Amino acid sequence: MAENDGDEWNGPDLEDDSGAVMRAVSRQIKLWREAAGMTQTELGKAIGYGEDMVSAVERCRRLPSPEFLDNADEALGAGGRLSAMKEDVREARYPKKVRDLAKLEAKAVERGAYGDHNIDGLLQTEEYARVLYAMRRPALSEEEIDRYVAGRVGRQEIFERRPAPMMTFVQEEVTLRRPIGGTMVLRRQLEHLLEMAQLRHVVFQVMPTACEEHAGMGGHFRVLKLQSGEAVGHAESQIGSRLVWDPKQVQVLEMRYGIIRSQALAPRESLALIKKVLAET
């Protein structure tokens, strides 16, 4: 199943500075360890990690957690130099396209999204997102799945922004019924949708499958209105996604989204449908 939600990442990107950050952090940890005269096994024991984890970090196979950096800093006497890299590592955990989208969302005063094949990324539970990435073909490694999930969950910080942006969502009815990950994963996802729909700056609508008129047959997309007054679109396909800056094309997406919202169920009816599906699941 090819599932894309704006954070597509197909391996190291020459334009992605996260690779350089990862290599720099890995190199520093190895240099400090060697300067302290410790083996990987000794460092692992000192900081509560296995030798395999220390080796993976030094070979740039795994990104260190904040706890790893803090503990290593203390054990190696780095004087805060390794701990200071936590913010860089936090950003490097997310693929570049995720960071770029998150930066745009951070500037948005309004965000509208139409989803036709799965729940919008900002509304996904962590376990639902993990299942989606595990279903990718070609298969992703566990590290890549962790990285994608972290990026998706990280974008959800937008709900905590103040002042809060206005966010509207239109989801196809089938996305509420498809048992991604099994019954319990779907139930928890539906319960989460009901919780998020209660937020005053969130409006959730469902496009019923029985609807004969449908302006969204072209697929999933988003429209963001920025603080500057500028609008930008975000369109997706099977193998990637792209930002739409051309005013004429953005205008088409805005018009299309407005029609989709008018064709979908009203918010109150939409919540009633979610409750109905949840009861049947």
Side-chain angles (χ1 to χ4, degrees):
M1 178 180 183
E3 181 277 334
N4 183 27
D5 186 32
D7 41 15
E8 184 74 23
W9 189 75
N10 297 313
D13 185 342
L14 295 178
E15 298 179 356
D16 191 343
D17 59 358
S18 64
V21 172
M22 292 165 63
R23 289 189 293 273
V25 173
S26 298
R27 188 179 304 113
Q28 284 298 310
I29 292 172
K30 182 178 181 180
L31 289 173
W32 279 100
R33 177 182 61 76
E34 291 177 339
M38 297 178 70
T39 66
Q40 292 179 341
T41 300
E42 290 170 338
L43 176 59
K45 290 181 178 179
I47 64 177
Y49 288 88
E51 177 186 355
D52 290 345
M53 180 61 179
V54 175
S55 175
V57 168
E58 291 189 357
R59 288 183 295 117
C60 208
R61 299 294 185 185
R62 294 288 300 273
L63 278 174
S65 66
E67 292 77 17
F68 185 106
L69 289 171
D70 284 339
N71 293 344
D73 189 279
E74 183 177 350
L76 299 174
R81 293 176 179 83
L82 294 179
S83 291
M85 305 180 86
K86 286 188 292 187
E87 183 61 26
D88 293 327
V89 170
R90 187 186 74 83
E91 289 197 7
R93 285 180 179 275
Y94 307 153
K96 182 177 186 296
K97 291 183 179 180
V98 180
R99 299 201 305 272
D100 290 346
L101 181 59
K103 288 177 182 178
L104 276 176
E105 289 174 335
K107 299 176 182 178
V109 295
E110 185 176 339
R111 177 191 185 276
Y114 164 66
D116 63 348
H117 58 285
N118 54 252
I119 303 299
D120 187 271
L122 289 186
L123 296 174
Q124 290 175 12
T125 63
E126 183 172 340
E127 62 178 348
Y128 183 98
R130 187 169 296 279
V131 171
L132 285 176
Y133 285 123
M135 294 170 67
R136 286 278 183 93
R137 296 297 181 271
L140 300 174
S141 68
E142 288 301 316
E143 180 184 357
E144 289 171 326
I145 292 174
D146 288 344
R147 195 177 188 218
Y148 277 132
V149 173
R152 183 158 296 179
V153 173
R155 280 177 48 220
Q156 295 174 4
E157 294 175 353
I158 189 173
F159 289 105
E160 301 173 5
R161 261 185 50 198
R162 295 295 181 270
M166 184 66 194
M167 290 189 283
T168 62
F169 300 88
V170 180
Q171 290 283 157
E172 285 293 327
E173 180 180 346
V174 68
T175 66
L176 308 179
R177 298 183 180 275
R178 182 172 292 125
I180 299 293
T183 300
M184 293 311 298
V185 172
L186 178 60
R187 283 188 61 85
R188 285 189 285 268
Q189 177 63 67
L190 294 175
E191 291 168 349
H192 182 64
L193 288 181
L194 290 173
E195 291 177 7
M196 300 306 291
Q198 298 304 316
L199 298 176
R200 286 181 291 178
H201 60 291
V202 173
V203 177
F204 187 89
Q205 293 177 261
V206 176
M207 176 67 79
T209 303
C211 185
E212 295 182 7
E213 297 292 328
H214 196 328
M217 299 306 289
H220 186 102
F221 68 92
R222 302 181 185 87
V223 178
L224 295 89
K225 294 184 179 179
L226 309 181
Q227 295 169 348
S228 63
E230 190 175 18
V232 59
H234 186 262
E236 300 181 357
S237 67
Q238 284 280 325
I239 57 175
S241 61
R242 68 185 181 93
L243 292 173
V244 181
W245 291 97
D246 181 82
K248 291 183 179 179
Q249 292 184 353
V250 175
Q251 189 176 49
V252 169
L253 291 180
E254 288 181 309
M255 176 192 67
R256 191 171 296 169
Y257 186 62
I259 297 174
I260 290 172
R261 291 196 65 191
S262 71
Q263 294 170 333
L265 296 177
R268 187 184 297 264
E269 296 172 314
S270 297
L271 295 186
L273 179 56
I274 297 176
K275 293 176 181 178
K276 179 177 182 292
V277 175
L278 179 58
E280 296 172 349
T281 302

